[in-house]
Amino acid sequence: MRHTITLLVDNESGVLSRIAGLFSARGFNIESLNVGETLDPDTSRITLVTTGDDFIIQQIIKRFNNMVNVIKVSDLTEEVRVEREMVLVRMDARPETRAEILRTADIFRAKVVDVGPKSYTLELTGDKDKITGFIELLRPMGIKELARTGTVAMKRESKLTKRGEEK
């Protein structure tokens, strides 16, 4: 099962290494990982996405809760949440594909953030499925380079879970 986990941690060196080490010690892959400072410069938010057995994920979350530099852990998997990723795609903009690239960007509401003599660089933000669909449509037109962030996520303010249960 795919899990989206957020952690509020002390903004100190070595914290990320300990978090990632816990996953590697269990033989789990981190599908995506994002770290950024929060409104409080002494605190960072880590968003990680992984797939794995529910029991093992719960064990890892318990270990996170016992770590000194971890302030709060939330498994957002069953929560109503907002998730976004961003991608930058440099396209091979040949004369015969330029118009199609721009039409595809327009359909997905992507931005053209750089134009070179032989390339366009596009930026798109959205959920995982939107990003994946965008890349798959662009691929036949000639992707030269791609940089994709992982997931960032926040729990919605709603008190309902995905199943419609009140918390």
Side-chain angles (χ1 to χ4, degrees):
M1 180 177 190
R2 184 176 188 262
H3 290 266
T4 303
I5 300 167
T6 62
L7 301 98
L8 291 177
V9 299
D10 293 332
N11 189 6
E12 295 178 4
S13 64
V15 174
L16 180 60
S17 174
R18 286 190 289 279
I19 300 289
L22 196 55
F23 273 82
S24 70
R26 303 264 178 181
F28 277 108
N29 185 37
I30 297 173
E31 186 179 306
S32 76
L33 176 69
N34 271 290
V35 182
E37 193 175 279
T38 64
L39 284 174
D40 177 1
D42 295 330
T43 304
S44 293
R45 176 186 303 270
I46 298 174
T47 304
L48 60 89
V49 177
T50 187
T51 54
D53 176 76
D54 288 348
F55 176 76
I56 298 297
I57 297 296
Q58 291 308 315
Q59 294 298 311
I60 289 172
I61 289 172
K62 284 180 184 173
R63 295 283 307 270
F64 285 155
N65 280 317
N66 291 330
M67 295 175 95
V68 173
N69 299 106
V70 175
I71 300 163
K72 183 179 179 185
V73 181
S74 301
D75 184 354
L76 300 180
T77 306
E78 296 294 324
E79 302 290 338
V80 178
R81 63 187 183 276
V82 177
E83 283 190 9
R84 293 292 183 265
E85 294 184 23
M86 188 191 81
V87 65
L88 293 173
V89 184
R90 180 170 295 122
M91 296 296 302
D92 184 12
R94 290 168 277 145
E96 63 271 15
T97 59
R98 286 177 180 252
E100 186 64 23
I101 291 168
L102 294 176
R103 265 194 303 273
T104 304
D106 190 46
I107 290 168
F108 280 85
R109 297 182 185 163
K111 296 178 189 169
V112 178
V113 293
D114 188 40
V115 177
K118 297 179 181 175
S119 69
Y120 290 143
T121 302
L122 309 172
E123 172 192 314
L124 178 68
T125 303
D127 64 25
K128 181 180 178 177
D129 292 340
K130 181 179 180 180
I131 301 287
T132 301
F134 183 62
I135 291 168
E136 291 309 312
L137 284 177
L138 291 176
R139 192 178 306 276
M141 293 180 258
I143 295 174
K144 294 173 88 174
E145 189 175 359
L146 185 144
R148 185 174 180 168
T149 69
T151 301
V152 291
M154 293 181 91
K155 181 179 166 183
R156 286 195 185 261
E157 200 168 1
S158 167
K159 293 182 178 181
L160 298 178
T161 65
K162 270 183 154 177
R163 297 182 197 149
E165 300 164 347
E166 193 166 321
K167 289 201 117 190

